[in-house]
Amino acid sequence: MTRIAAPLLFAGAILGLSAAWVGAQDSPESLLPPGFDEPRAPTRPSPAPPPAAALPRSNPGGPRVSATSSPVVQPLPAETSASVAIPPVAAAGSGSRLPSLEMLEKLSPDQLEDVLGLKPKFDIPPNARRSAMAAGVIDEQEGGMAVGSLAAQDATLVRAAIAGNNGMLVSRWGHILLRRALASRLAPPLGMDPADFAALRAALLVRMGEAEAARALVQDIDSGDYTSALTAAALDAYVATADFTGICPAVATHGAAQGDSGRDPRWQIAQIICSGFQGDGAGALTRLDRALYRGVMPRIDMLLAQKYVGAAGKAQRAVTIEWDGVDEITPWRYGLAIAVGVEPPARLMDQAGPRYSYIAATAPMLGLASRAAAADRAAGAGILSSAAMVDLYSQLYSDDEITGDWSDRAGKLRDAYLAASARSRLAAMRDLWGSDDPLLRYSRQVLTAYAAARLPIDDTLQDDAGDIIVSMLSAGLDANAVRWAGLAKSGSEGWALLAVADPDARGEVGRSAIDDFTKSDASPDKRKSAFLLAGLAGLGRVSSSTVGNVAGDLKIDLAGQTRWTGIIDRAAAVDNPELVALLAGLGMQGQTWDKMTPRFLYHIVAALRRVGLEPEARMIAAEAVARG
């Protein structure tokens, strides 16, 4: 185990990110509490993770991966038989209070099992239980981070880096990198319970809009090993995927304790839902009626729960959902609504925020048009890959019932691939890109990435070379993009993109070419020029003298230090890619690129490059230039 000689002095305070810092990162002195100054290297060699179901590596920008399972040979009964411990009955006068007969009659079957101690912690045999010490869904051999990446790191820093991230990142490629870091099979850091570590990661994945990945992560740990934090994170993950029966195993083992606490009424309703789907539909509806009368949750939530339970068994009931008087949408409300085939009114969704679009983009129960509208934001954020977008539009094109704008757009995508001439294919792409909304425009460039890669290198397309290159790089097609270098004039946006994205770049970029780009840069405060300089400097593709001179002209400071820049630099110095990825995600918070500073971009790109994540560093730098 590699360790840094200097002692670690952790203050123990968890990171607190204020809204002011999110809005202006020029003064991020509160980013980390004092003492976070010595990250540790990952343990090597990495310990082998325990046998468990693994998920294959997905397309880097893909929305999710599907589970595969290994066959299990059922052992003979004699090999697995174990005595079942029967809890002793407290004797009278022992100090323990037994419930009265009247109290027992009022308890549900689940509550009765808890009171009498009849419910086992585990509902699976010992030989089938899994270790929680390397929980995750992407193995190192499948593209994940090394399992021992954080094993030597103090838990306080890791907790601060994950819990302090609000999940909204300015960068599509930063989102993709952070998702991979969180979903990797990882041993917990020093002093942290493995279930709590999984809970931190799952909660951030939910905040990022990666509900499927979060659900897969919590499913990699046996419900009997859930802590209170993981139980709460699991509920959020299942709610975000509208999977209200998937949480039932956790409800069976932990639901009573969570519901009895009174802090989260969702657990009380989840218990009732699960009982309804276990055969007690009529009883579940009766209990929901009582909960509605007591005001356990708002009326709209209780009606949605009744409609959901009404689909179970023979206890069907007609429930009318009316949104009059409802003034906000919540994850629970939205998940239940789409689960029963009801879409909330547009007036609520318009003010709901982008996370609901991220959920909708991968929700199979929604209509194609609704998913496509959500995908127009999810792709730009990093939720969906270009391949997933093309698949969605292909379904739109083949569905005769889809008409209007979405049918037209699907036809335009087909033209982008199959039109007779290159000019016609490019014209179809430009029609798709045509939007005043920067995120929507970028999502459509993700959509057309592979069509752009099929275009011939044609002098007549030179004026559009920049947009064509942006489209290809949005899906990581850097080798295809480099083919356009001959048509990217020095100082043009296409040239700037390739200057940072080219995987085989040789030599340093001269100041004159950067000055040419700066002169034509119409972005606010020359932001694209500042990001270009930061990206080139982080990749080591420009001399220090040029950095100093151009930075002076642009009135920016790449060399200044904050606590955050210091710690991500030291995490890179000890070659810890996982910690660098977590810290990079912390520094990329925000919904638009005006929340990113050139200084932060420089340190992110430099740190990623130093720990062997240069492809991600190049794509983030190119995205900054394209979207700045």
Side-chain angles (χ1 to χ4, degrees), residues 456-474:
I457 312 300
D458 189 334
D459 290 344
T460 64
L461 307 181
Q462 186 173 41
D463 292 342
D464 295 287
D467 283 332
I468 294 170
I469 292 170
V470 169
S471 184
M472 288 186 281
L473 293 179
S474 70

Side-chain angles (χ1 to χ4, degrees), residues 59-107:
N59 180 290
R64 56 186 181 271
V65 286
S66 58
T68 58
S69 59
S70 302
V72 177
V73 177
Q74 182 67 36
L76 297 175
E79 295 176 307
T80 59
S81 61
S83 61
V84 179
I86 301 177
V89 178
S94 65
S96 299
R97 297 184 59 187
L98 288 175
S100 66
L101 218 35
E102 182 180 355
M103 292 175 61
L104 290 174
E105 289 176 350
K106 295 180 180 179
L107 296 178

Side-chain angles (χ1 to χ4, degrees), residues 277-508:
F277 278 83
Q278 290 168 351
D280 186 20
L285 287 173
T286 300
R287 293 168 64 191
L288 286 175
D289 288 337
R290 293 173 182 168
L292 174 60
Y293 177 77
R294 296 196 310 269
V296 173
M297 295 185 78
R299 179 177 177 82
I300 183 65
D301 297 329
M302 298 306 303
L303 292 177
L304 288 168
Q306 288 179 349
K307 193 172 184 67
Y308 190 88
V309 171
K314 299 179 180 179
Q316 297 182 4
R317 178 192 292 183
V319 180
T320 302
I321 305 299
E322 296 181 351
W323 296 93
D324 295 341
V326 180
D327 56 5
E328 68 172 340
I329 199 74
T330 65
W332 174 271
R333 191 169 296 166
Y334 183 72
L336 270 176
I338 64 174
V340 298
V342 175
E343 293 194 44
R347 64 177 177 83
L348 295 178
M349 298 310 302
D350 289 343
Q351 61 186 16
R355 287 188 177 92
Y356 293 93
S357 293
Y358 303 161
I359 294 172
T362 57
M365 68 285 293
L366 290 178
L368 289 173
S370 296
R371 290 174 56 197
D376 267 345
R377 300 198 173 278
I383 307 291
L384 294 178
S385 68
S386 179
M389 288 285 283
V390 171
D391 179 70
L392 178 58
Y393 272 67
S394 298
Q395 294 179 60
L396 288 168
Y397 182 81
S398 62
D399 191 333
D400 294 335
E401 296 183 2
I402 301 292
T403 59
D405 290 343
W406 289 112
S407 177
D408 294 342
R409 291 183 187 120
K412 290 292 183 183
L413 182 63
R414 185 178 187 277
D415 292 341
Y417 276 93
L418 301 176
S421 68
R423 294 296 304 176
S424 297
R425 299 204 295 274
L426 177 59
M429 292 182 212
R430 295 184 66 178
D431 285 344
L432 288 169
W433 299 338
S435 174
D436 294 331
D437 185 329
L439 180 58
L440 191 150
R441 175 181 172 83
Y442 188 65
S443 287
R444 298 280 179 79
Q445 289 176 318
V446 174
L447 169 67
T448 60
Y450 288 93
R454 292 163 57 93
L455 287 172
I457 312 300
D458 189 334
D459 290 344
T460 64
L461 307 181
Q462 186 173 41
D463 292 342
D464 295 287
D467 283 332
I468 294 170
I469 292 170
V470 169
S471 184
M472 288 186 281
L473 293 179
S474 70
L477 305 177
D478 52 0
N480 298 82
V482 169
R483 295 170 52 237
W484 286 76
L487 294 186
K489 296 179 181 178
S490 178
S492 67
E493 182 165 324
W495 165 85
L497 292 166
L498 295 178
V500 292
D502 187 351
D504 299 314
R506 298 289 184 270
E508 295 179 343

Side-chain angles (χ1 to χ4, degrees), residues 20-36:
W21 180 83
V22 173
Q25 295 184 29
D26 290 318
S27 302
E29 292 304 327
S30 63
L31 185 62
L32 292 170
F36 291 123

Side-chain angles (χ1 to χ4, degrees), residues 103-119 252 256 271-272 275-276 278 280 283-284 287:
M103 292 175 61
L104 290 174
E105 289 176 350
K106 295 180 180 179
L107 296 178
S108 68
D110 285 343
Q111 292 172 326
L112 193 60
E113 287 183 351
D114 287 327
V115 169
L116 299 181
L118 300 178
K119 183 177 292 185
Q271 285 181 283
I272 299 174
S275 67
Q278 290 168 351
D280 186 20
R287 293 168 64 191

Side-chain angles (χ1 to χ4, degrees), residues 190-209:
L190 290 172
M192 184 180 291
D193 184 282
D196 286 342
F197 182 43
L200 278 172
R201 292 185 285 153
L204 178 50
L205 285 167
V206 170
R207 295 196 296 273
M208 293 169 63

